[in-house]
Amino acid sequence: MKIYLAGPDVFLPDAVEIGRRKAAICARHGLTGLYPLDNVVDLAADDASLAIFKGNQAMMDAADAIIANLTPFRGPSADAGTVYELGYMAGRGKLRFAYSNDPAIYADRVARSFRITTSAAGHMIDADGLTVEDFGLPDNLMMIHTLDLHGARLVTPREPPQDIWHDLTSFEACVALAADRATGKPD
Amino acid sequence: MKIYLAGPDVFLPDAVEIGRRKAAICARHGLTGLYPLDNVVDLAADDASLAIFKGNQAMMDAADAIIANLTPFRGPSADAGTVYELGYMAGRGKLRFAYSNDPAIYADRVARSFRITTSAAGHMIDADGLTVEDFGLPDNLMMIHTLDLHGARLVTPREPPQDIWHDLTSFEACVALAADRATGKPD
């Protein structure tokens, strides 16, 4: 089973190394990890961003499943590029797994970072008056339920690990779930 | 042509009203707007979030195209639910249109809100050491290029409108682009 390894990991200073670690974990479980930086792109070229897009899309099309790193990124939700890719794989009918190294509930995370009040109707609202989604889920319901229905529940640690960008414990739990699917073991 | 109307508009205090305005604009251009809140969901039910997911997905499956509101939402990128839906429609091979009422470049927006430095390799990095995507695009390249290739370039105003959550000028420009596609007019 080929797994597309999505996440803001590609933005880490040791992005190539973490891709190698993820691919090695996949291999240990009998799976093949496909990592965006495996594509060779000339970053100095004028069309570098388009080349990255095309490379990532081809890699997703070649994969049977996605493992997305949905750890919150520059805000209370996951990295937009990763979320797009989770949606894309959902649209293509592929298996979906994901983890987040922050186990907090979305509404609690928003409440910690933004000025939140309660509307006349009793909803949590932000300073712009927009409702804060509050279903007790760790991120937007579209991502959470696509995982529940077509892969496995979002994997989160009990407590955030020391290094949220390099700890691969929850990632490996996703790989194990995918490997069970690949060999037809029951959930 | 049926258009799925995605966006954090559903979180506005006047979410139903803005959906009506968007659908009316679609109708004026000969198109049918499908708005998430058209689905009837019992928000008091235990499985309300799952019912919303299923309703949104069925609506996307029934639509020929998406118009996504990618105005930055609680951070420098678009709303995660909307980004997921753009990815989903991409995976389903549907036409993609989107607008953002903030015309700024992603890297500039990040630099305004986060402590940014330059790495030894000359990249913009954030306080966690993660690279800031800097291709001169208004948001993550996956979203921007999927629009370029399979719909139309992200529509943005020259200056942010007075009311970024209610101004529908750029939305209407997307509707006009979709209507041209529906009638086979050249871009």
Side-chain angles (χ1 to χ4, degrees), chain B residues 8 13 90 102 105 125 137 161 172 185:
Chain B
D102 180 350
I105 296 304
I125 54 171
L137 303 175
E172 183 150 13
K185 279 189 214 164

Side-chain angles (χ1 to χ4, degrees), chain A residues 14-77:
Chain A
D14 52 350
V16 172
E17 173 57 21
I18 202 148
R20 282 200 194 113
R21 285 176 58 203
K22 284 187 157 184
I25 291 170
C26 288
R28 274 210 303 280
H29 289 263
L31 306 175
T32 304
L34 305 178
Y35 188 61
L37 299 189
D38 296 343
N39 290 317
V40 178
V41 172
D42 175 6
L43 289 174
D46 282 347
D47 66 345
S49 67
L50 183 61
I52 295 171
F53 172 85
K54 288 181 175 172
N56 290 359
Q57 183 167 291
M59 210 171 237
M60 288 193 281
D61 289 342
D64 308 294
I66 184 172
I67 297 180
N69 176 359
L70 297 182
T71 303
F73 181 75
R74 293 182 193 141
S77 277

Side-chain angles (χ1 to χ4, degrees), chain A residues 145-169:
Chain A
H145 289 309
T146 205
L147 295 167
D148 292 344
L149 295 176
H150 303 283
R153 199 171 135 174
L154 180 74
V155 175
T156 54
R158 208 174 281 269
E159 297 289 334
Q162 197 92 26
D163 185 341
I164 60 160
W165 295 119
H166 293 89
D167 190 293
L168 296 182
T169 313

Side-chain angles (χ1 to χ4, degrees), chain B residues 4-140:
Chain B
Y4 182 73
L5 305 175
D9 312 56
V10 295
F11 301 124
L12 285 167
D14 52 350
V16 171
E17 173 57 20
I18 201 148
R20 283 200 194 113
R21 285 177 57 205
K22 284 187 157 185
I25 290 170
C26 288
R28 275 210 302 279
H29 288 263
L31 306 176
T32 304
L34 305 178
Y35 187 62
L37 298 189
D38 296 342
N39 290 317
V40 178
V41 172
D42 175 6
L43 288 174
D46 283 345
D47 66 347
S49 67
L50 183 60
I52 294 171
F53 172 86
K54 288 181 175 172
N56 290 359
Q57 182 167 291
M59 209 172 240
M60 288 193 282
D61 289 342
D64 307 293
I66 182 171
I67 297 180
N69 176 359
L70 297 182
T71 303
F73 180 75
R74 294 182 193 140
S77 278
D79 165 51
T82 306
V83 174
Y84 172 88
E85 292 175 339
L86 177 61
Y88 182 82
M89 292 296 269
R92 303 283 288 176
K94 308 286 179 86
L95 268 176
R96 300 139 227 182
F97 304 93
Y99 67 100
S100 168
N101 274 337
D102 180 350
I105 296 304
Y106 176 77
D108 294 344
R109 200 181 299 128
V110 173
R112 278 205 302 267
S113 305
F114 294 84
R115 195 169 59 78
I116 297 299
T117 53
T118 304
S119 72
H123 301 130
M124 275 179 72
I125 54 171
D126 66 17
D128 285 354
L130 279 81
T131 301
V132 179
E133 194 185 293
D134 188 16
F135 291 112
L137 303 175
D139 207 330
N140 183 282

Side-chain angles (χ1 to χ4, degrees), chain B residues 141-159:
Chain B
L141 68 89
M142 294 306 294
M143 291 139 65
I144 299 306
H145 289 310
T146 205
L147 295 167
D148 292 343
L149 295 176
H150 302 284
R153 199 171 136 175
L154 180 74
V155 175
T156 54
R158 209 173 281 267
E159 298 289 334

